[in-house]
Amino acid sequence: MALNMARVWCRCSSYCIKKNNFPNVGVNFLHLSRSVAGYERDPAPLFFSPDVQRIMRKMTKVDVKKVFRSRKLGEKLDAPEYKFLTSEELEQYMKETEKKVEERLQVPPIVKEREEINEVLSVDRALTGYDSAKFVFTDITFGVPNKDRIIVVREPDGTLRKAFWNERFRMNQIYFPEPDRQLRTPHMFEEPYLTNVLDRGEYEFVLDRACVQYEPNDPEYYRVTSTTYDHIEKEQMFDALQSTRHFGALAFYLCWNKQIDNFVLYYIQNDRLPGKDNAAFTWKGQQCALSMPNYQARRRMVEHMGQLNHVKSCHVKPCQISQNFPIIF
């Protein structure tokens, strides 16, 4: 699985590699500058591709107890039920449970960040100074999707324009409120509160709350999620999102932004690799380690490989990818 994610990483980096092969040691990955957190290019075609979806599902370890655990939602818990089932009924019940697990582990969509709306419909100077406030006109027809709802604003200077995204958000939430979504940004998404919550390890809580509060293409959604993913990568708390719907999104984000070093190391240290591919991955992992921009991650990765039982030794000779960056273990 980590081998597959390394392929996706190279694909995101616009590097073509052969199937089941890591880049050679001679490839200079130092010229791959880490992109700014976010998605400047549209990630949707890659994210929704069948191969990437399959890899993300396979990477998300299914722990039924964690998926269906009791959560602090302020709701009264239902009393447990005990039933006697036949073998056929039990099999049917297990299939239904698998469907529920798949629904709960569905990865939130990752799409391109939206651009601000700047479209002027008309300018009527005769209305200049009529009022000091803006007039917002909203189509409240029932059944129209919020993203397609017509909302326009008349400025005090007589300009009639389409509403900005923040204005559309407020109007839609006033007339057609989404459950648990607030008109004002929750303080937990602002500093220093966001950092305090992340320092406590409440990653899943922050990401779940962001999915409720924001649309997938909202710039604020990108800010909150990228800050959370960066904090997880820095603290190497990948287990916190295992068996949650956000683990696949975390993996995709790290691959897209070329921050996969510690993530690959996490898979190796926790023996999360397919059994038959362990030996092959260990050797290829040495080559991958030599290409890692993060020196500490390279060193830990190679040292750990030398401790694996199925590998006699893992001696890596000093080499140099570029004249300005010697690699010495």
Side-chain angles (χ1 to χ4, degrees):
M1 287 180 285
L3 183 60
N4 288 332
M5 289 311 301
R7 295 195 202 110
V8 176
W9 172 49
C10 294
R11 183 178 177 184
C12 292
S13 305
S14 300
Y15 274 80
C16 297
I17 58 176
K18 295 181 179 180
K19 187 176 182 181
N20 298 327
N21 283 325
F22 272 93
N24 293 328
V25 177
V27 177
N28 190 349
F29 275 76
L30 299 178
H31 294 298
L32 290 177
S33 59
R34 181 171 296 179
S35 60
V36 179
Y39 305 94
E40 296 179 355
R41 295 180 291 112
D42 187 6
L46 182 61
F47 176 81
F48 290 107
S49 64
D51 290 339
V52 174
Q53 289 291 318
R54 175 180 55 80
I55 291 173
M56 289 191 296
R57 286 195 300 269
K58 190 175 181 180
M59 293 182 65
T60 305
K61 180 181 178 182
V62 178
D63 184 352
V64 179
K65 292 183 179 180
K66 185 174 182 179
V67 173
F68 293 103
R69 72 189 185 281
S70 300
R71 307 182 65 180
K72 299 178 181 179
L73 301 177
E75 301 176 354
K76 184 178 180 180
L77 298 178
D78 296 330
E81 296 182 4
Y82 298 91
K83 298 181 180 180
F84 291 97
L85 304 175
T86 63
S87 299
E88 292 77 10
E89 292 174 338
L90 179 60
E91 184 178 355
Q92 180 64 27
Y93 183 81
M94 294 300 295
K95 291 181 179 179
E96 294 176 358
T97 303
E98 291 177 358
K99 291 182 180 179
K100 292 180 180 179
V101 170
E102 186 175 354
E103 292 176 358
R104 294 199 177 192
L105 296 182
Q106 180 64 45
V107 181
I110 298 179
V111 295
K112 186 178 181 180
E113 181 178 337
R114 68 193 182 195
E115 298 179 357
E116 187 57 87
I117 301 174
N118 291 298
E119 183 175 349
V120 176
L121 302 177
S122 66
V123 179
D124 190 349
R125 297 304 180 188
L127 298 177
T128 302
Y130 177 79
D131 201 302
S132 59
K134 300 177 183 179
F135 286 84
V136 181
F137 303 90
T138 305
D139 176 15
I140 58 173
T141 303
F142 182 78
V144 177
N146 287 343
K147 64 183 182 64
D148 298 329
R149 194 174 302 280
I150 298 176
I151 304 177
V152 297
V153 177
R154 176 72 73 175
E155 296 281 358
D157 63 356
T159 301
L160 182 66
R161 59 171 175 81
K162 290 187 176 181
F164 298 141
W165 283 113
N166 61 337
E167 296 168 337
R168 294 185 59 86
F169 170 80
R170 291 199 299 271
M171 292 299 103
N172 282 321
Q173 188 62 15
I174 289 174
Y175 290 107
F176 304 95
E178 293 287 343
D180 301 322
R181 180 174 290 183
Q182 300 180 11
L183 276 175
R184 298 182 181 274
T185 301
H187 290 304
M188 63 171 289
F189 293 141
E190 301 173 352
E191 294 295 345
Y193 309 109
L194 178 59
T195 301
N196 293 338
V197 175
L198 295 178
D199 289 340
R200 298 201 304 266
E202 301 287 347
Y203 303 116
E204 185 181 5
F205 172 68
V206 173
L207 294 173
D208 284 342
R209 189 70 181 85
C211 290
V212 173
Q213 181 65 27
Y214 303 115
E215 294 296 328
N217 60 353
D218 193 322
E220 284 297 295
Y221 177 79
Y222 289 111
R223 179 185 65 82
V224 173
T225 55
S226 62
T227 301
T228 305
Y229 296 148
D230 289 337
H231 195 281
I232 293 174
E233 195 276 336
K234 178 182 177 181
E235 301 296 331
Q236 300 184 35
M237 296 292 292
F238 304 110
D239 275 331
L241 293 186
Q242 268 292 4
S243 298
T244 70
R245 62 189 303 223
H246 305 290
F247 190 80
L250 168 66
F252 187 90
Y253 173 85
L254 296 178
C255 292
W256 187 270
N257 290 283
K258 308 181 185 69
Q259 297 174 250
I260 199 175
D261 304 15
N262 291 325
F263 191 66
V264 173
L265 181 63
Y266 159 78
Y267 263 83
I268 296 175
Q269 290 178 335
N270 291 275
D271 295 328
R272 294 287 305 280
L273 306 175
K276 64 179 181 180
D277 295 334
N278 276 348
F281 181 82
T282 301
W283 168 244
K284 295 180 184 298
Q286 296 178 36
Q287 298 177 329
C288 181
L290 293 175
S291 301
M292 285 183 171
N294 189 327
Y295 169 77
Q296 294 182 351
R298 289 200 315 271
R299 186 183 184 91
R300 292 198 307 272
M301 185 174 183
V302 175
E303 288 178 351
H304 182 75
M305 287 177 180
Q307 300 173 2
L308 296 179
N309 295 330
H310 56 268
V311 179
K312 294 182 180 179
S313 63
C314 188
H315 301 294
V316 181
K317 297 180 180 180
C319 65
Q320 187 171 344
I321 292 181
S322 69
Q323 297 179 355
N324 299 326
F325 198 96
I327 297 181
I328 302 175
F329 296 95

